[in-house]
Amino acid sequence: MMTFSLKNRRLACAALLVAVGLLLPPVFHLVGGQAAGGMLLPMHLPVLLAGLLFGPSVGVAVGVLTPLLSFLLSGMPTLAKLPFMLIELAAYGAVSGLCCVKAKLPVPVGLLAAQAAGRLVNALGLWIAGALFELPVSGPLSVWTALVTGLPGVAIQWIVLPLLIRALKKSGVLRYV
């Protein structure tokens, strides 16, 4: 019987979460139309889960690879949105991992901190890009609009992620990764 190291198992879990992050958005778009992505935030779920379960390095890796591979494979997100999604999702993965794995804070605290940090990083990125390229970009307004539009997705994250993590811990699956 073949045994796998902890590092290999975590790598496999990260790859699985990237795959889920690539598959969820098209499914949500099929069911809810093009606006479903911005409203339900399907790509955020596996990134947050990666950070919450496996720490900041896995969270950042899933947060960067998922939108990058999605763009390369499907053209979504658009090239204009890609850099901002990269930094926002990387922040989600990093902060959720720092809070829940490194600092051992409860999942709701890590989730809230990650959501706030991701949107803040997104706003900062928009503001910097606007200033560098002299674009009429309203970072805070864009982020506020995205936040309000994404409230159903945030609600899904608050319901699904703690329940999923609890179920995974209760099942004993996480002992092996």
Side-chain angles (χ1 to χ4, degrees):
M1 183 173 197
M2 186 183 276
T3 60
F4 294 97
S5 71
L6 181 62
K7 182 179 177 182
N8 288 338
R9 285 181 278 184
R10 288 188 178 216
L11 182 61
C13 288
L16 180 62
L17 288 169
V18 170
V20 169
L22 294 173
L23 294 172
L24 278 181
V27 170
F28 278 56
H29 289 185
L30 280 173
V31 173
Q34 196 61 28
M39 186 171 49
L40 301 175
L41 311 172
M43 199 177 283
H44 297 194
L45 289 167
V47 173
L48 287 163
L49 189 60
L52 292 168
L53 291 178
F54 303 114
S57 58
V58 174
V60 169
V62 173
V64 170
L65 287 172
T66 304
L68 184 60
L69 289 174
S70 180
F71 171 75
L72 293 172
L73 294 171
S74 71
M76 294 299 290
T78 63
L79 184 57
K81 289 182 83 171
L82 180 63
F84 305 105
M85 279 195 72
L86 286 169
I87 61 171
E88 181 180 19
L89 293 179
Y92 286 155
V95 173
S96 62
L98 286 170
C99 289
C100 291
V101 174
K102 296 294 184 186
K104 307 279 191 227
L105 297 173
V107 169
V109 174
L111 189 53
L112 179 62
Q115 289 167 330
R119 293 300 173 154
L120 183 63
V121 166
N122 189 336
L124 186 61
L126 285 167
W127 180 75
I128 290 171
L132 284 175
F133 300 110
E134 299 179 5
L135 300 171
V137 175
S138 176
L141 181 59
S142 298
V143 172
W144 178 254
T145 301
L147 181 64
V148 170
T149 302
L151 283 176
V154 171
I156 290 170
Q157 292 166 13
W158 275 88
I159 294 166
V160 169
L161 291 173
L163 289 174
L164 183 58
I165 290 169
R166 188 175 303 128
L168 289 170
K169 286 181 178 178
K170 191 172 185 176
S171 73
V173 170
L174 294 179
R175 274 189 305 220
Y176 304 107
V177 289

